Amino acid sequence: MAHCVVPAAEEILDREFPVLNKGFVRLVDYLGGDERIVQAARVSYGKGTKSYREDKGLISYLLRNKHTSPFEQVVFTFHVKLPIFVARQWIRHRTARLNEISGRYSVMKDEFYVPAPEDLAAQSADNKQGRAEEPLDARKAQEALEVFTAGQARAYEDYTRLLGDVAREVARINLPLSLYTEWYWQIDLHNLLHFLQLRLDAHAQKEIRLYAEVLFAIAAKVCPLAAEAFEEHTRGAVSFSAKEFAALRAKLGGAADEDLGLSGKELDRFQEKLKSGRQV
Ligand SMILES: Cc1cc2nc3c(=O)[nH]c(=O)nc-3n(C[C@H](O)[C@H](O)[C@H](O)COP(=O)(O)OP(=O)(O)OC[C@H]3O[C@@H](n4cnc5c(N)ncnc54)[C@H](O)[C@@H]3O)c2cc1C
């Protein structure tokens, strides 16, 4: 089968999509698309692409049934510029190949992440890993921003001063997590969807979520049918434990909440899932 060319993907190749104050995602290259998933899945029958409707149905079927290997036939190479604290979360996804700028070889640029005031909030009262929904008041936000920018300026000034006497690989060690780094990141669609499932989720930190949104929008240009199937069967889906499922059946049969067999916290979680339509 010939090389897949996806016109909508060709249009965005090499374009920088901004994320945060100085970051971006750029699609460097792609291999395959919806058509490749279909070709790969049908290889055993020796049949290629059929109608759009049948291809859409097949891709949806594959994802719904976790027949994921055809999705591995689509590959993306991204160039990403991101703060180091986001990179530390991102790098936990081991099923990709990457090459990062070297702070031993190059002088790091004076580029730091500074949150927008509306992204500054107190520690969440109910989520140990997150921030409250309400942003800080203007005065506290201003103070926090001054602390960030003053610390970044001082650290970078020290870094440039040390570069006169100390090797780059050591001079950099006091640079903060807000410093931007860059990498090429190559991943196949199956593993990208796994990354997106985790990092588009409301439990992920907002900053990496914003990158995930851009990655997903780009992936949707390359393989719109797979992206649609992901929205349907993964992103928009909610899973229930066995106990929750029994409660759901009982509720559909007319049982009152106190008779669902769930304890206080279990019931709260169950109701939250039903209300928000997302995993909690
Ligand atoms: C909201 C959130 C909070 C998190 N908080 C923390 C935290 O506090 N501390 C922390 O350390 N991490 C944290 N993580 C990172 C998390 O534990 C995972 O390391 C990360 O999400 C990568 O997931 P993964 O291993 O499934 O992905 P990948 O590394 O991309 O792997 C994909 C899949 O491949 C398989 N796989 C890959 N490598 C191996 C291997 N060596 N052995 C067996 N199977 C493998 C597994 O099935 C895996 O699910 C957090 C992640 C999220 C999304």
Side-chain angles (χ1 to χ4, degrees):
M1 290 284 177
H3 174 66
C4 288
V5 176
V6 183
E10 295 291 314
E11 266 179 35
I12 58 159
L13 269 184
D14 230 22
R15 195 189 300 170
E16 282 182 11
F17 291 89
V19 191
L20 306 180
N21 61 330
K22 289 181 193 287
F24 63 76
V25 176
R26 182 168 73 84
L27 179 64
V28 176
D29 209 350
Y30 68 96
L31 175 73
D34 286 330
E35 198 185 328
R36 178 60 44 79
I37 299 169
V38 168
Q39 287 164 356
R42 292 212 170 108
V43 73
S44 46
Y45 312 111
K47 290 178 189 159
T49 302
K50 291 188 174 179
S51 69
Y52 172 84
R53 196 172 55 81
E54 281 175 303
D55 288 353
K56 185 175 154 115
L58 174 60
I59 289 176
S60 176
Y61 168 87
L62 293 170
L63 204 69
R64 192 171 71 243
N65 290 288
K66 306 209 179 338
H67 180 178
T68 51
S69 53
F71 295 85
E72 291 175 33
Q73 298 292 327
V74 181
V75 179
F76 302 83
T77 302
F78 296 103
H79 176 188
V80 188
K81 181 172 171 187
L82 67 175
I84 291 173
F85 74 94
V86 175
R88 281 191 63 176
Q89 297 178 344
W90 195 306
I91 198 95
R92 300 302 305 279
H93 297 268
R94 297 158 289 178
T95 46
R97 293 157 294 282
L98 76 84
N99 189 61
E100 186 176 7
I101 184 173
S102 167
R104 301 177 71 195
Y105 189 85
S106 311
V107 173
M108 298 305 288
K109 291 186 199 144
D110 183 9
E111 292 184 315
F112 296 91
Y113 171 56
V114 180
E118 62 271 23
D119 287 332
L120 293 169
Q123 179 62 41
S124 164
D126 54 4
N127 175 0
K128 291 201 170 93
Q129 267 200 330
R131 66 194 90 166
E133 286 189 8
E134 190 67 20
L136 286 185
D137 67 52
R139 185 185 55 80
K140 282 190 179 161
Q142 188 54 35
E143 278 172 15
L145 290 175
E146 281 168 17
V147 170
F148 286 134
T149 48
Q152 291 164 349
R154 198 172 52 247
Y156 198 78
E157 202 182 302
D158 291 346
Y159 171 61
T160 42
R161 188 153 25 86
L162 283 170
L163 282 174
D165 301 319
V166 180
R168 288 186 288 274
E169 66 178 6
V170 182
R172 66 178 172 167
I173 65 174
N174 270 11
L175 289 171
L177 292 176
S178 54
L179 187 76
Y180 274 89
T181 185
E182 289 183 44
W183 60 35
Y184 265 44
W185 191 62
Q186 190 188 67
I187 191 160
D188 65 60
L189 179 60
H190 166 57
N191 285 295
L192 178 64
L193 294 181
H194 179 66
F195 176 96
L196 292 173
Q197 181 180 7
L198 295 171
R199 302 302 179 177
L200 286 171
D201 189 273
H203 297 93
Q205 182 164 345
K206 180 173 183 187
E207 283 78 5
I208 196 166
R209 232 162 52 213
L210 294 174
Y211 280 92
E213 290 287 358
V214 174
L215 292 172
F216 183 50
I218 293 175
K221 295 281 185 196
V222 176
C223 35
L225 295 180
E228 205 179 314
F230 171 78
E231 288 272 22
E232 175 63 21
H233 300 302
T234 311
R235 192 177 186 187
V238 181
S239 67
F240 292 96
S241 68
K243 217 170 170 185
E244 286 171 337
F245 190 60
L248 185 59
R249 285 182 120 149
K251 200 173 168 69
L252 288 172
D257 282 353
E258 53 276 21
D259 299 326
L260 295 179
L262 299 174
S263 68
K265 277 203 165 162
E266 287 170 342
L267 185 61
D268 288 348
R269 232 183 358 252
F270 175 65
Q271 285 173 330
E272 182 57 28
K273 275 188 192 181
L274 293 181
K275 194 166 78 170
S276 67
R278 53 184 174 79
Q279 214 58 43
V280 291

